[in-house]
Amino acid sequence: GPVTVAAPATIVEAASSVVAETATTGVVDATGSLARAATTAEETVSSPRLPRHALLHFAVQYGGGTFKVGEISHRLENIDGRYNLHSVTQTTGLVGIFKNYQLSQSSSGSVTRQGLRPESYQETKTDSNGTQSAMAYFDWTGNEVHFADGSTGKLSEQAQDVLSLPYHLSQLPLNLESFPIALSNGKNIRQHYLAVGEEATISTAMGELRTITLHKVHGENEEGLIIWLALEYRLLPVKILHLDKSGEVSANMVITDIRVSDE
């Protein structure tokens, strides 16, 4: 039926955004768990330096299980105070279940002491229905975001796009309970709060990884994600979990390989 046909697009699109949603219990515990995390992992409070080059590969799994429906690669270049991020998502296109789907995203801007400051974000999606694109330009002088359709949005101090967000998070001192983030998907910009959660060890193709979790503070009738940053890998993102509006897991992207270089 139409639901199955649309599935990979929804899954992959969801997996490529990076805000998170969870029940409020995580928020309540945030301070205590962070205090514990900080004693075992200094990395959570002193931000690691963003690598000059990084290449990350993820497997996209359906729901909470291990059924693989696609792959995502993230490439980061960070040179002389400028960053470029490029992501390609490709579904495996199992005949009769999922249609082929490709998503290409890029974000570029400056690297500041306050983290990443995106200047442009663009994405192109291609499937059997054709190609769609979205674009956002961040005008930090005029405090506005401009979209391809001519509309604009207000730019707050902490603003990111869906691709820059996890890399920006790696540069923040995560010693707060929660903090505001305005997030753009190339079509609009919305205000969210991210909460810092527990330290957790997760199983991946790279073995057991120690992580710190961040999630979007629960908003009514909103989709969202939880993101895990690896303590031993410069707080780079290693898992992103998508939840639908009812809070069910609908997609899960998990790291398979990380390569970083400062040369």
Side-chain angles (χ1 to χ4, degrees), residues 8-31:
T10 319
I11 290 165
V12 176
E13 203 171 335
S16 63
S17 321
V18 242
V19 282
E21 154 172 287
T22 189
T24 46
T25 47
V27 186
V28 180
D29 302 336
T31 335

mmCIF file of all heavy atoms in Angstrom, residues 8-31:
data_model
loop_
_atom_site.group_PDB
_atom_site.id
_atom_site.type_symbol
_atom_site.label_atom_id
_atom_site.label_comp_id
_atom_site.label_asym_id
_atom_site.label_seq_id
_atom_site.Cartn_x
_atom_site.Cartn_y
_atom_site.Cartn_z
ATOM 1 N N PRO A 8 10.644 4.411 3.131
ATOM 2 C CA PRO A 8 12.056 4.771 3.223
ATOM 3 C C PRO A 8 12.272 6.265 3.240
ATOM 4 O O PRO A 8 13.125 6.761 3.942
ATOM 5 C CB PRO A 8 12.664 4.164 1.966
ATOM 6 C CG PRO A 8 11.531 4.076 1.025
ATOM 7 C CD PRO A 8 10.309 3.798 1.867
ATOM 8 N N ALA A 9 11.452 6.972 2.467
ATOM 9 C CA ALA A 9 11.616 8.426 2.445
ATOM 10 C C ALA A 9 11.433 8.966 3.851
ATOM 11 O O ALA A 9 12.238 9.736 4.351
ATOM 12 C CB ALA A 9 10.606 9.044 1.503
ATOM 13 N N THR A 10 10.378 8.506 4.507
ATOM 14 C CA THR A 10 10.097 8.983 5.866
ATOM 15 C C THR A 10 11.237 8.609 6.800
ATOM 16 O O THR A 10 11.747 9.417 7.550
ATOM 17 C CB THR A 10 8.807 8.324 6.392
ATOM 18 O OG1 THR A 10 7.879 8.290 5.333
ATOM 19 C CG2 THR A 10 8.245 9.099 7.561
ATOM 20 N N ILE A 11 11.640 7.343 6.723
ATOM 21 C CA ILE A 11 12.690 6.854 7.614
ATOM 22 C C ILE A 11 13.974 7.644 7.425
ATOM 23 O O ILE A 11 14.548 8.157 8.362
ATOM 24 C CB ILE A 11 13.007 5.371 7.301
ATOM 25 C CG1 ILE A 11 11.836 4.512 7.737
ATOM 26 C CG2 ILE A 11 14.275 4.924 8.011
ATOM 27 C CD1 ILE A 11 11.867 3.133 7.165
ATOM 28 N N VAL A 12 14.381 7.754 6.184
ATOM 29 C CA VAL A 12 15.672 8.372 5.914
ATOM 30 C C VAL A 12 15.633 9.856 6.227
ATOM 31 O O VAL A 12 16.537 10.416 6.827
ATOM 32 C CB VAL A 12 16.078 8.131 4.449
ATOM 33 C CG1 VAL A 12 17.354 8.857 4.152
ATOM 34 C CG2 VAL A 12 16.274 6.635 4.215
ATOM 35 N N GLU A 13 14.524 10.490 5.856
ATOM 36 C CA GLU A 13 14.371 11.917 6.136
ATOM 37 C C GLU A 13 14.450 12.131 7.642
ATOM 38 O O GLU A 13 15.134 12.996 8.137
ATOM 39 C CB GLU A 13 12.995 12.353 5.648
ATOM 40 C CG GLU A 13 12.891 13.818 5.373
ATOM 41 C CD GLU A 13 11.576 14.152 4.680
ATOM 42 O OE1 GLU A 13 11.001 13.275 4.011
ATOM 43 O OE2 GLU A 13 11.139 15.279 4.836
ATOM 44 N N ALA A 14 13.751 11.255 8.366
ATOM 45 C CA ALA A 14 13.730 11.353 9.818
ATOM 46 C C ALA A 14 15.135 11.163 10.360
ATOM 47 O O ALA A 14 15.604 11.921 11.189
ATOM 48 C CB ALA A 14 12.826 10.269 10.372
ATOM 49 N N ALA A 15 15.819 10.156 9.863
ATOM 50 C CA ALA A 15 17.141 9.853 10.384
ATOM 51 C C ALA A 15 18.129 10.964 10.090
ATOM 52 O O ALA A 15 19.133 11.113 10.754
ATOM 53 C CB ALA A 15 17.646 8.551 9.779
ATOM 54 N N SER A 16 17.828 11.774 9.087
ATOM 55 C CA SER A 16 18.807 12.790 8.728
ATOM 56 C C SER A 16 18.598 14.099 9.492
ATOM 57 O O SER A 16 19.429 14.978 9.449
ATOM 58 C CB SER A 16 18.761 13.055 7.225
ATOM 59 O OG SER A 16 17.504 13.566 6.883
ATOM 60 N N SER A 17 17.482 14.212 10.196
ATOM 61 C CA SER A 17 17.332 15.369 11.078
ATOM 62 C C SER A 17 17.979 14.989 12.399
ATOM 63 O O SER A 17 18.142 13.830 12.657
ATOM 64 C CB SER A 17 15.859 15.678 11.341
ATOM 65 O OG SER A 17 15.124 15.489 10.175
ATOM 66 N N VAL A 18 18.284 15.979 13.247
ATOM 67 C CA VAL A 18 18.988 15.555 14.442
ATOM 68 C C VAL A 18 18.519 16.186 15.719
ATOM 69 O O VAL A 18 19.321 16.416 16.611
ATOM 70 C CB VAL A 18 20.509 15.819 14.335
ATOM 71 C CG1 VAL A 18 21.267 14.540 14.397
ATOM 72 C CG2 VAL A 18 20.823 16.550 13.081
ATOM 73 N N VAL A 19 17.255 16.455 15.840
ATOM 74 C CA VAL A 19 16.790 16.872 17.149
ATOM 75 C C VAL A 19 16.129 15.676 17.786
ATOM 76 O O VAL A 19 15.847 14.704 17.124
ATOM 77 C CB VAL A 19 15.788 18.034 17.076
ATOM 78 C CG1 VAL A 19 16.493 19.325 16.832
ATOM 79 C CG2 VAL A 19 14.756 17.758 16.029
ATOM 80 N N ALA A 20 15.896 15.750 19.078
ATOM 81 C CA ALA A 20 15.428 14.563 19.753
ATOM 82 C C ALA A 20 14.267 14.854 20.658
ATOM 83 O O ALA A 20 14.069 15.959 21.112
ATOM 84 C CB ALA A 20 16.569 13.997 20.570
ATOM 85 N N GLU A 21 13.498 13.789 20.914
ATOM 86 C CA GLU A 21 12.312 13.965 21.732
ATOM 87 C C GLU A 21 12.272 12.785 22.684
ATOM 88 O O GLU A 21 12.595 11.688 22.316
ATOM 89 C CB GLU A 21 11.119 13.951 20.786
ATOM 90 C CG GLU A 21 9.822 13.523 21.392
ATOM 91 C CD GLU A 21 8.711 13.745 20.382
ATOM 92 O OE1 GLU A 21 8.373 14.910 20.184
ATOM 93 O OE2 GLU A 21 8.226 12.775 19.811
ATOM 94 N N THR A 22 11.873 13.045 23.900
ATOM 95 C CA THR A 22 11.821 11.943 24.848
ATOM 96 C C THR A 22 10.861 12.308 25.961
ATOM 97 O O THR A 22 10.382 13.436 26.027
ATOM 98 C CB THR A 22 13.233 11.670 25.413
ATOM 99 O OG1 THR A 22 13.175 10.462 26.165
ATOM 100 C CG2 THR A 22 13.696 12.783 26.328
ATOM 101 N N ALA A 23 10.584 11.367 26.820
ATOM 102 C CA ALA A 23 9.726 11.658 27.967
ATOM 103 C C ALA A 23 10.480 12.572 28.924
ATOM 104 O O ALA A 23 11.696 12.660 28.877
ATOM 105 C CB ALA A 23 9.359 10.358 28.663
ATOM 106 N N THR A 24 9.750 13.228 29.802
ATOM 107 C CA THR A 24 10.387 14.235 30.656
ATOM 108 C C THR A 24 11.272 13.627 31.735
ATOM 109 O O THR A 24 12.046 14.326 32.350
ATOM 110 C CB THR A 24 9.321 15.106 31.345
ATOM 111 O OG1 THR A 24 8.322 14.225 31.863
ATOM 112 C CG2 THR A 24 8.697 16.071 30.370
ATOM 113 N N THR A 25 11.193 12.307 31.972
ATOM 114 C CA THR A 25 12.017 11.713 33.017
ATOM 115 C C THR A 25 13.498 11.992 32.804
ATOM 116 O O THR A 25 14.210 12.310 33.738
ATOM 117 C CB THR A 25 11.805 10.182 33.074
ATOM 118 O OG1 THR A 25 11.890 9.700 31.731
ATOM 119 C CG2 THR A 25 10.477 9.834 33.679
ATOM 120 N N GLY A 26 13.952 11.904 31.553
ATOM 121 C CA GLY A 26 15.361 12.154 31.245
ATOM 122 C C GLY A 26 15.791 13.550 31.651
ATOM 123 O O GLY A 26 16.901 13.767 32.108
ATOM 124 N N VAL A 27 14.884 14.495 31.501
ATOM 125 C CA VAL A 27 15.205 15.887 31.785
ATOM 126 C C VAL A 27 15.431 16.092 33.274
ATOM 127 O O VAL A 27 16.358 16.754 33.706
ATOM 128 C CB VAL A 27 14.063 16.821 31.305
ATOM 129 C CG1 VAL A 27 14.458 18.267 31.477
ATOM 130 C CG2 VAL A 27 13.733 16.524 29.862
ATOM 131 N N VAL A 28 14.567 15.458 34.056
ATOM 132 C CA VAL A 28 14.654 15.587 35.516
ATOM 133 C C VAL A 28 16.012 15.095 36.018
ATOM 134 O O VAL A 28 16.646 15.703 36.859
ATOM 135 C CB VAL A 28 13.517 14.776 36.191
ATOM 136 C CG1 VAL A 28 13.611 14.899 37.704
ATOM 137 C CG2 VAL A 28 12.167 15.293 35.713
ATOM 138 N N ASP A 29 16.483 13.967 35.434
ATOM 139 C CA ASP A 29 17.739 13.370 35.889
ATOM 140 C C ASP A 29 18.988 14.070 35.373
ATOM 141 O O ASP A 29 20.081 13.737 35.769
ATOM 142 C CB ASP A 29 17.844 11.918 35.420
ATOM 143 C CG ASP A 29 16.685 11.084 35.920
ATOM 144 O OD1 ASP A 29 16.093 11.467 36.947
ATOM 145 O OD2 ASP A 29 16.389 10.086 35.280
ATOM 146 N N ALA A 30 18.785 15.017 34.442
ATOM 147 C CA ALA A 30 19.941 15.525 33.694
ATOM 148 C C ALA A 30 21.094 16.010 34.564
ATOM 149 O O ALA A 30 22.231 15.686 34.316
ATOM 150 C CB ALA A 30 19.505 16.641 32.748
ATOM 151 N N THR A 31 20.794 16.778 35.615
ATOM 152 C CA THR A 31 21.877 17.358 36.408
ATOM 153 C C THR A 31 22.685 16.287 37.108
ATOM 154 O O THR A 31 23.900 16.253 37.021
ATOM 155 C CB THR A 31 21.329 18.324 37.484
ATOM 156 O OG1 THR A 31 20.074 18.803 37.035
ATOM 157 C CG2 THR A 31 22.277 19.459 37.726
#
